[in-house]
Amino acid sequence: MISFHYARASCVGEALQEVAGDANAKFIAGGTNLIDLMKMDVERPTKVIDITRLPLKRVERTPGGGLRIGALVRNTDLAYHPLVEQRYPVLADAIMAGASQQLRNMASTGGNLLQRTRCAYFYDIATPCNKREPGSGCSAIEGQNRMHAILGGSEACIATHPSDMCVALAMLDAKVHVGSASGDRVIAFADFHRLPGDTPQRDTHLNAGEIITAVELPPKGFATNYTYLKIRDRLSYAFALVSVAVGLELDGDTIKEGRFALGGVAHKPWRDPQAEAVLRGQPAHAATFARAAGVVLRDARGYAHNTFKIDLARRCIVRALTQAACGTPQSQSAKKIV
Amino acid sequence: MAPYIGTATSRVDGVAKVTGAAKYAAEFNTPGLVYGSIVTSTIAKGWIKRVDGSAAMRVKGVIDVLSHEHRPPMADDDKAYADEVAPLGSPFRPLYDNRVMFSRQPIALVVAETSEIARFGESLVRVEYEVEAPVTDLNRERDAAVPVKPPTNPFEALFTPPKPRGAPERALAAAAMRHEAEYCTPIEHHNPMELYAATVIYHADGKLTLYDKTQGVQNIQRYVCSVFGMKPEDVRVMSPFVGGAFGNGLRPNFEIVLAVLAARALRRSVRVVLTRPQMYALGYRPAMIQRIGLGATTDGTLDAITHDAITVTSEYEDYYRQETGWSGLLYTCANAKYAHKLAKLDLPTACDMRCPSAATGVYALECAMDELAVALKADPLELRLRCYSERDQNNNRPFGSKALRECYRQGAQAFGWDKRNPEPRSMRDGADLVGWGMATGVWDAFQAPITVRIALSANGHAEVACATSDIGTGTRTIMAQVAADMLGLPLDHISINLGDSNLPQSPVEGGSWIAVSVSNGIATTAASIRDELLRLAKQIPNSPLAATAPGEVALIDGKLADKGDVSRAISISDAMRQGGVERIEQEKTTNPSADAARAHNTHSAVFAEVKVDEQLGVIRVTRVVSAVAAGRILNTKTAGSQVLGSVVWGIGMALHEETLIDHRFGRVMNANIAEYHMPVNADVHDIKVIFVDEPDDSNPLGIKGVGEIGIVGVAAAIANAVYHATGKRVRDLPITLDKLSP
Amino acid sequence: MINTPVDTKDTEFPISRQPTHSELVARGVTLPIAAGLSSRAAAPPSIGSASPEVVSVSLTVNGTLHALMLDTRTTILDLLREHLDLTGTKKGCDQGQCGACTVLIDGRRVNSCLTFAVMYDGAQITTIEGLATKGTLHPLQQAFIDHDAFQCGYCTPGQICSAVGLISEGRAKTADDIRELMSGNLCRCGAYGNILAAIAQAMRRA
């Protein structure tokens, strides 16, 4: 790890001042991802700005009936927050499906959005990686790509976004509040993370000098018919091969609105309006779910070690939609899949 | 006083371990300590053209950058680097020359005032290479594999395939029922929780005290002395606590060489700790391809066994163990033959990992037996009983003891095996397919020469000393139990001193041989203490033991007593007072009773239940019963934990563990413990361990050892259960869910 | 093996330059990717200062206030082990993957390997050394001994601190909950079943 200058900000303005014009400065909150990457010499900030004392730790109702989550709310605090447990249980479950309790106790809401990929080549500076060293090549495309993308990849990068929480946030149509010296803006969750294209070094549409201040949830939380189903190589403490966050609004057996987002399959949490349109107004049963799965995976592409994920994703989607329709969300403790 | 041997005694070092007082190799702090950070190769094969440490040296706090270009002298002959358990070949020499033989090979050491600065310095070292294309893929190299060399001595013969018997090819071709298949297992890494580390204390006179993570302090001492031309009295190696090793610490690893190099170069105390990724440059369980052929009559008697293995080693050393011979040992069969080939790859040398050879060899055999049972429409347990071996046919000798039938019986009963519907996919629990599988386990029971010193004080306290390690197995505890019983003292009057090269001789701790060796060693030395006490006691006027022979007395409740009439007794303190001594010290070497006329093995029967989600292929191991026959069990608590832990290893082997190499780079890509998956708490459910009675007279205490046997058969039992659940036979481990997809 | 030291006086070769793809191909090396293999520190975008940045930090460990001058890079894990000689907290991966370094910071269990000490100025830290009181083991420590919930002992302090956190979180109601919420603490000896039993015992008595 390189030596860095430590700065502590006490308000958003101070944090923005500290970061202004310094391309080698990084904000730090929970540190669970950044410190790891710094130890691996993947991240080399010369200045680390501690934002943990910023007043962004509250979970508040919004006037419109939604919820505003401060960027520094810790993952466990969010998952265990009564309003989240009651109104957005899919978010609570997704959070509890990720990492370990110790990490969730440290990790912040904003930091979770900015997690970097677990691609082994990104992490190992001895190997080429376009995300870490643009232009050096993607080692994963013809390498160890079991964990890699089947959707939205490019010739430059097939990394996946590792977050569980973000899959639920994507499904919930969350918004990301961002502050900067030039003013605040709000980014729709679907537009926050980006696809790799030919600039995989950029994970998100956040600009230099911007800071995440909050994540806002709209009122609709799908607290009755929802699930977070995560499939991985061991039963806990592992990154997703495929995960699915589902929210359904049912009218009897008919789907009034159906949403689902996929994790572990792309450079960003994967939503597909066309696939969700397939659900609308249709009976909530397996045939409908399979059609929606077919649509979302229509352009899926596998590589040497991850082709299985296409069919796995198909079956996970059907299962997760079934769980949600039945009102039997997946438990994150009991590992029997309901 | 009730005996301690055979009871569920809590660990004598338990308090030290739960309070953080137990100190491991990287935890001995000393003023002026400096830190070494290892630069490792980014290439897997080639030559180092140049190591440039100049940028690192410009960092304030960096003291030196050692490399093959700049280091104190080291020995120049292979013999100096060949440790107690080195395989044939030319051992790796850290920082010796410019050759790169595997990825993440240590090639330089940055020494600095703090660990943070050392690690930063490490990142600044520039290395130029002449790159060669590495070869690391067993599947591509299988045809280039060469047969292992015939043994030249009895030690090597332990590792080479047994002699064939009968006419196996003809018998296999003629068999009424035949099963032939290939089973593949990947490279696995030990990944003990403790990082490999060495702290070298440099004394003013140049003598060194080394704290190293090792399974054999005296092996390290001899190695360091020969590599650096030092005298044994100048090198003391300590390892009081070892945070797991599982075979990875049998041989010296490079942290100790690098730390000693730096200490000698700088004349300072040095600590070197490997990073977790760097631990993937140590030894590993070799990947292997095994081909098994079983020929049987229609009534389920085996008539032919062929077992061939191709295993991985480095380009520079021939590591191999005997995977194949277990087949013809475990089952009666007139015709058997074995073959073992080695594929030499651009990797570090493979090494022993928990139950080397049997964990993998018996996995293949026991899956093949399950497949044969399916073909014969026979119950898998019934088939094993029909083929049960009463003799070791490989060496044509009886077993010293073998209570495997009892393992099968008790294990099956505890599991409820008789309720199994033999039809695959026939048992269900909601969305889960339920599978029941079983397998047999077998391992060797070894005893090695060992020396134990006991010092008994007049106040009835005893110190027991031996250089052995306790790598978490519970050695310290069983030593205390045995000593307490042999000396007739309460457990808390015994102190155990181990893990120090200054102590009496011990072999490396591995292979399940320490419990039997050190326990019998304690018994021998305790007998000699008893004899000395008797000599003193006889000098007491009108001694009640005046006419008693040594064989007729025992130490009971702090007294030396006539076994026939315990009222004829003299207390330890009285005997010592009579002799005018405060302490009696005896040191004795115990050699194993040479009993080559019989085979010495432990056995187990493993029963596993899996539940597999039919739609998604997610596998859960919901129940395991392991019934073990391993002679006398010294401590049912710690021995039970050994088997519980081994079952967890078996779960990992079956479902999770696999070291993934990018063969273009010859580099491990999941070199961490987030992506090298081993079981976590959520993966482990109901595991029941049964020890069956197995009287054995191969050694005076009738011990066989339990460190390895628990893993054998577990992966096969799980694989067989997965087949039973799903109807899908997966023959390459780990069984990840993608392998179950349609 | 032969020792063939390279002439270190040859400084004409630029030190940060890596062999190009064509150079490697000319040497008979087939590489799948244009950039090929790079040395560990190929062309870093920034290397920081050649001198460590040192800051003053005060924090309370097991009730004792410590005021120290620390490298900004020093983690709480290294602070405990290398500066305060509190080696009960273990380093098993240094990457947040094993839980051996678990301590309680302001009452919450966290991975101390992923904390810069400077960020925790003023914090209250409890380590394994701070759990026993006046020579009496914490109920979890005793339960771990009773149930043989460890073998080598290396993951044990982290398991116990994690279990202290688990119990104070008050979320674990079932054995499955304990298993899941303790899955951030790896035990290579495989003592999970006994760890579960030990925690269940301590929870019953709590």
Side-chain angles (χ1 to χ4, degrees):
Chain A
M1 189 189 300
I2 66 168
S3 187
F4 62 84
H5 175 69
Y6 172 79
R8 186 181 292 159
S10 58
C11 63
V12 172
E14 230 174 80
L16 292 172
Q17 235 168 23
E18 287 283 358
V19 81
D22 188 345
N24 288 322
K26 282 264 178 199
F27 294 128
I28 190 165
T32 53
N33 191 216
L34 180 61
I35 296 177
D36 183 23
L37 289 166
M38 287 170 71
K39 287 183 183 191
M40 300 302 285
D41 286 317
V42 174
E43 296 278 11
R44 298 162 164 270
T46 52
K47 180 178 185 178
V48 171
I49 305 158
D50 181 353
I51 57 168
T52 55
R53 282 155 172 85
L54 267 48
L56 304 173
K57 293 175 186 156
R58 294 173 58 174
V59 178
E60 302 162 298
R61 292 170 208 265
T62 59
L67 211 60
R68 184 186 165 99
I69 303 157
L72 291 172
V73 175
R74 310 253 178 208
N75 288 176
T76 31
D77 293 341
L78 184 57
Y80 291 158
H81 195 284
L83 289 174
V84 174
E85 283 188 323
Q86 288 155 24
R87 293 180 45 198
Y88 306 95
V90 66
L91 176 59
D93 283 2
I95 292 169
M96 294 308 288
S100 69
Q101 190 77 336
Q102 289 97 313
L103 292 166
R104 294 188 292 262
N105 272 340
M106 306 164 78
S108 68
T109 303
N112 191 297
L113 269 58
L114 298 176
Q115 277 183 84
R116 309 214 64 190
T117 183
R118 289 296 309 184
C119 173
Y121 302 95
F122 174 70
Y123 256 83
D124 185 347
I125 64 169
T127 60
C129 166
N130 285 326
K131 184 180 276 297
R132 178 171 32 77
E133 243 181 279
S136 61
C138 174
S139 300
I141 286 173
E142 289 179 27
Q144 292 291 350
N145 48 32
R146 177 178 175 78
M147 301 301 293
H148 287 72
I150 53 171
L151 289 166
S154 72
E155 292 308 305
C157 181
I158 55 169
T160 53
H161 193 259
S163 169
D164 291 292
M165 184 175 108
C166 289
V167 183
L169 291 175
M171 190 280 283
L172 290 167
D173 276 341
K175 296 187 185 102
V176 184
H177 290 253
V178 166
S180 76
S182 58
D184 298 348
R185 64 177 178 131
V186 180
I187 308 172
F189 208 85
D191 300 328
F192 184 79
H193 295 99
R194 59 189 297 283
L195 292 178
D198 53 7
T199 51
Q201 66 273 24
R202 290 199 64 192
D203 295 348
T204 69
H205 285 110
L206 204 63
N207 296 319
E210 286 187 320
I211 188 169
I212 299 173
T213 54
V215 172
E216 185 185 331
L217 300 180
K220 194 176 267 186
F222 301 98
T224 307
N225 294 99
Y226 70 94
T227 196
Y228 188 72
L229 178 62
K230 177 177 181 180
I231 304 300
R232 42 191 156 179
D233 275 327
R234 63 183 173 194
L235 294 176
S236 184
Y237 207 14
F239 293 94
L241 291 163
V242 174
S243 70
V244 191
V246 179
L248 295 179
E249 194 182 346
L250 299 178
D251 180 3
D253 186 40
T254 305
I255 302 168
K256 274 177 75 181
E257 184 183 2
R259 295 189 204 163
F260 62 98
L262 303 180
V265 297
H267 199 256
K268 59 186 287 188
W270 196 262
R271 280 281 299 275
D272 186 335
Q274 269 181 268
E276 290 175 10
V278 169
L279 298 172
R280 199 170 303 128
Q282 296 300 307
H285 59 48
T288 308
F289 305 154
R291 276 204 305 281
V295 172
V296 74
L297 294 164
R298 63 195 178 278
D299 295 325
R301 176 189 170 184
Y303 298 83
H305 304 290
N306 75 345
T307 303
F308 76 95
K309 284 169 71 168
I310 300 173
D311 189 53
L312 178 65
R314 190 185 318 278
R315 286 177 282 134
C316 277
I317 293 165
V318 172
R319 186 63 162 274
L321 285 163
T322 306
Q323 289 181 341
C326 297
T328 53
Q330 179 61 40
S331 162
Q332 302 306 322
S333 286
K335 302 298 176 179
K336 181 182 171 71
I337 299 171
V338 292
Chain B
M1 197 165 64
Y4 293 101
I5 292 177
T7 63
T9 301
S10 291
R11 284 169 204 267
V12 298
D13 50 8
V15 171
K17 286 178 176 173
V18 301
T19 57
K23 281 195 181 285
Y24 299 78
E27 299 173 354
F28 292 87
N29 291 325
T30 187
L33 184 74
V34 296
Y35 296 80
S37 189
I38 305 169
V39 180
T40 61
S41 67
T42 55
I43 67 165
K45 190 176 190 181
W47 288 271
I48 302 164
K49 289 166 67 182
R50 178 183 153 90
V51 176
D52 178 1
S54 59
M57 288 301 292
R58 282 195 290 275
V59 175
K60 189 181 165 195
V62 170
I63 302 163
D64 207 348
V65 180
L66 302 176
S67 69
H68 69 282
E69 299 168 359
H70 170 64
R71 59 157 172 83
M74 298 163 71
D76 289 312
D77 59 311
D78 282 339
K79 206 165 158 254
Y81 294 83
D83 68 282
E84 191 176 320
V85 284
L88 294 171
S90 177
F92 172 61
R93 307 175 188 181
L95 265 52
Y96 182 77
D97 63 13
N98 65 342
R99 191 82 177 94
V100 176
M101 297 184 291
F102 53 90
S103 189
R104 293 195 177 85
Q105 177 180 318
I107 52 178
L109 185 77
V110 176
V111 189
E113 299 290 349
T114 71
S115 59
E116 292 86 3
I117 295 170
R119 190 147 176 196
F120 176 40
E122 172 220 323
S123 73
L124 298 178
V125 173
R126 303 283 193 278
V127 181
E128 289 160 26
Y129 302 99
E130 187 80 37
V131 186
E132 286 186 273
V135 176
T136 53
D137 186 353
L138 171 60
N139 286 316
R140 275 185 52 189
E141 290 308 300
R142 60 181 295 167
D143 295 335
V146 294
V148 298
K149 295 183 183 84
T152 59
N153 59 49
F155 182 68
E156 287 171 24
L158 287 173
F159 306 131
T160 46
K163 286 198 263 310
R165 56 179 182 261
E169 279 109 343
R170 193 158 10 110
L172 187 61
M177 196 62 82
R178 198 162 53 236
H179 168 70
E180 288 180 275
E182 224 168 68
Y183 299 87
C184 300
T185 51
I187 286 181
E188 293 177 352
H189 277 82
H190 307 65
N191 276 310
M193 295 316 301
E194 182 193 13
L195 298 169
Y196 271 84
T199 302
V200 175
I201 310 292
Y202 189 89
H203 302 287
D205 54 5
K207 292 184 181 182
L208 304 178
T209 302
L210 318 178
Y211 296 93
D212 189 27
K213 177 177 174 66
T214 175
Q215 292 172 250
V217 284
Q218 290 172 332
N219 190 29
I220 299 294
Q221 183 195 35
R222 279 187 292 274
Y223 175 82
V224 168
C225 286
S226 64
V227 167
F228 293 100
M230 297 182 73
K231 298 196 203 86
E233 57 268 32
D234 294 343
V235 178
R236 181 179 184 186
V237 183
M238 315 258 286
S239 192
F241 289 94
V242 182
F246 313 107
N248 206 7
L250 290 167
R251 300 188 66 191
N253 287 315
F254 47 78
E255 80 285 349
I256 192 66
V257 177
L258 299 178
V260 171
L261 267 178
R264 283 167 67 85
L266 305 175
R267 299 176 181 277
R268 291 184 70 168
S269 298
V270 179
R271 173 169 302 149
V272 174
V273 183
L274 269 60
T275 63
R276 184 56 66 172
Q278 287 171 348
M279 285 177 53
Y280 290 78
L282 303 177
Y284 51 88
R285 194 194 294 285
M288 59 189 76
I289 302 168
Q290 297 182 74
R291 185 164 187 81
I292 303 239
L294 299 175
T297 58
T298 46
D299 69 350
T301 336
L302 278 177
D303 197 36
I305 295 174
T306 62
H307 192 158
D308 301 346
I310 307 172
T311 66
V312 164
T313 190
S314 65
E315 278 287 351
Y316 52 90
E317 281 176 319
D318 288 357
Y319 170 89
Y320 50 88
R321 293 293 182 252
Q322 199 248 95
E323 263 74 24
T324 57
W326 301 109
S327 299
L329 174 74
L330 202 44
Y331 297 115
T332 293
C333 185
N335 306 290
K337 87 173 178 55
Y338 317 99
H340 194 139
K341 288 180 176 175
L342 273 183
K344 305 191 76 152
L345 303 179
D346 295 311
L347 293 169
T349 306
C351 77
D352 291 332
M353 178 163 162
R354 201 159 201 173
C355 212
S357 78
T360 42
V362 176
Y363 152 72
L365 170 67
E366 287 297 280
C367 287
M369 285 294 281
D370 197 68
E371 298 203 55
L372 182 65
V374 170
L376 287 163
K377 298 187 167 38
D379 179 82
L381 175 55
E382 182 54 34
L383 176 65
R384 269 113 177 147
L385 288 167
R386 266 182 250 167
C387 302
Y388 196 88
S389 65
E390 299 290 359
R391 286 176 72 77
D392 164 9
Q393 282 183 295
N394 284 339
N395 298 290
N396 192 26
R397 58 187 178 181
F399 290 99
S401 56
K402 180 175 174 179
L404 175 58
R405 270 185 213 284
E406 197 53 21
C407 294
Y408 286 137
R409 193 186 69 76
Q410 292 189 29
Q413 190 173 34
F415 188 81
W417 183 257
D418 60 343
K419 295 175 196 68
R420 180 179 185 263
N421 181 336
E423 196 57 36
R425 302 179 65 86
S426 64
M427 294 165 64
R428 280 176 181 272
D429 172 14
D432 287 334
L433 296 163
V434 178
W436 289 4
M438 60 85 55
T440 316
V442 57
W443 177 242
D444 288 313
F446 297 110
Q447 187 182 357
I450 202 162
T451 307
V452 171
R453 182 169 68 227
I454 299 178
L456 177 67
S457 301
N459 63 4
H461 284 71
E463 286 170 35
V464 181
C466 177
T468 182
S469 304
D470 181 345
I471 56 174
T473 47
T475 307
R476 211 181 244 110
T477 305
I478 57 108
M479 284 174 72
Q481 289 176 271
V482 173
D485 280 1
M486 297 296 158
L487 297 170
L489 297 174
L491 195 68
D492 60 4
H493 285 206
I494 308 293
S495 64
I496 301 296
N497 207 354
L498 52 67
D500 179 348
S501 62
N502 280 359
L503 299 175
Q505 170 275 330
S506 169
V508 291
E509 173 162 53
S512 299
W513 57 64
I514 283 295
V516 52
S517 305
V518 78
S519 298
N520 284 292
I522 290 168
T524 305
T525 309
S528 147
I529 293 268
R530 179 200 63 201
D531 294 350
E532 178 60 11
L533 276 172
L534 180 62
R535 191 184 68 77
L536 300 175
K538 281 176 186 290
Q539 293 167 12
I540 293 176
N542 304 317
S543 170
L545 300 173
T548 315
E552 293 166 5
V553 293
L555 285 158
I556 301 166
D557 292 343
K559 300 189 198 80
L560 191 64
D562 187 317
K563 283 194 273 189
D565 174 6
V566 291
S567 71
R568 297 157 68 86
I570 286 177
S571 74
I572 289 171
S573 57
D574 286 350
M576 287 213 199
R577 192 178 316 119
Q578 179 61 35
V581 295
E582 274 302 302
R583 163 189 169 94
I584 295 174
E585 187 172 302
Q586 295 285 322
E587 181 172 320
K588 296 286 170 199
T589 297
T590 306
N591 287 303
S593 36
D595 184 12
R598 296 186 295 171
H600 303 285
N601 294 93
T602 52
H603 291 89
S604 67
V606 186
F607 298 83
E609 175 184 270
V610 300
K611 294 190 176 175
V612 185
D613 184 86
E614 188 177 12
Q615 189 177 24
L616 300 174
V618 174
I619 304 168
R620 292 173 292 135
V621 179
T622 44
R623 281 199 301 143
V624 177
V625 172
S626 175
V628 173
R632 172 177 291 185
I633 302 304
L634 291 165
N635 183 334
T636 50
K637 195 173 200 171
T638 55
S641 290
Q642 283 281 288
V643 177
L644 284 175
S646 292
V647 170
V648 174
W649 273 63
I651 293 172
M653 180 178 170
L655 303 183
H656 305 131
E657 298 189 38
E658 179 174 22
T659 298
L660 297 169
I661 296 173
D662 186 322
H663 298 301
R664 300 167 303 173
F665 305 135
R667 189 166 175 91
V668 176
M669 293 316 301
N670 59 340
N672 63 62
I673 46 180
E675 274 104 0
Y676 179 98
H677 296 122
M678 39 200 194
V680 296
N681 208 316
D683 292 297
V684 177
H685 283 72
D686 184 12
I687 302 172
K688 182 177 176 61
V689 178
I690 297 167
F691 290 114
V692 308
D693 278 343
E694 189 180 58
D696 187 277
D697 62 1
S698 308
N699 58 79
L701 290 174
I703 303 165
K704 287 186 171 182
V706 294
E708 329 294 315
I709 183 64
I711 186 177
V712 191
V714 179
I718 292 170
N720 295 339
V722 169
Y723 168 76
H724 181 238
T726 64
K728 183 137 183 153
R729 183 68 68 174
V730 178
R731 299 192 187 93
D732 60 318
L733 298 184
I735 306 174
T736 46
L737 58 87
D738 48 299
K739 295 177 185 172
L740 294 179
S741 60
Chain C
M1 280 187 282
I2 46 163
N3 195 347
T4 50
V6 170
D7 182 3
T8 53
K9 289 192 292 286
D10 173 19
T11 53
E12 286 175 5
F13 203 95
I15 59 167
S16 60
R17 180 176 167 274
Q18 294 307 308
T20 63
H21 185 234
S22 54
E23 281 173 336
L24 292 171
V25 171
R27 291 175 205 150
V29 177
T30 311
L31 286 172
I33 293 165
L37 297 147
S38 58
S39 77
R40 181 126 169 25
S46 57
I47 64 157
S49 159
S51 297
E53 296 257 354
V54 176
V55 288
S56 76
V57 179
S58 302
L59 31 73
T60 303
V61 182
N62 301 328
T64 305
L65 180 69
H66 297 271
L68 304 117
M69 296 300 291
L70 293 175
D71 192 312
T72 52
R73 293 168 290 193
T74 302
T75 59
I76 287 179
L77 175 60
D78 287 333
L79 163 67
L80 294 169
R81 289 171 63 83
E82 308 296 341
H83 296 255
L84 303 180
D85 203 28
L86 289 169
T87 54
T89 306
K90 304 303 184 195
K91 185 181 280 191
C93 70
D94 213 21
Q95 293 180 278
Q97 299 169 351
C98 78
C101 67
T102 303
V103 299
L104 298 150
I105 300 184
D106 297 329
R108 297 163 74 108
R109 49 172 162 158
V110 301
N111 298 119
S112 63
C113 71
L114 294 180
T115 58
F116 290 132
V118 61
M119 292 173 64
Y120 292 83
D121 198 40
Q124 299 274 342
I125 296 166
T126 304
T127 72
I128 190 71
E129 291 93 341
L131 292 183
T133 47
K134 299 193 190 97
T136 307
L137 294 178
H138 184 284
L140 272 164
Q141 290 174 317
Q142 188 59 52
F144 267 61
I145 294 175
D146 295 345
H147 289 275
D148 208 34
F150 52 88
Q151 295 179 38
C152 78
Y154 199 79
C155 75
T156 312
Q159 299 275 2
I160 292 174
C161 285
S162 189
V164 170
L166 170 111
I167 291 172
S168 73
E169 288 156 10
R171 289 279 169 164
K173 308 291 182 209
T174 66
D176 279 340
D177 291 342
I178 298 175
R179 287 189 185 99
E180 169 61 20
L181 291 168
M182 287 298 293
S183 283
N185 290 86
L186 273 60
C187 169
R188 187 52 156 168
C189 297
Y192 296 123
N194 293 346
I195 291 168
L196 172 67
I199 295 172
Q201 172 185 308
M203 282 171 68
R204 279 194 302 273
R205 296 184 186 170

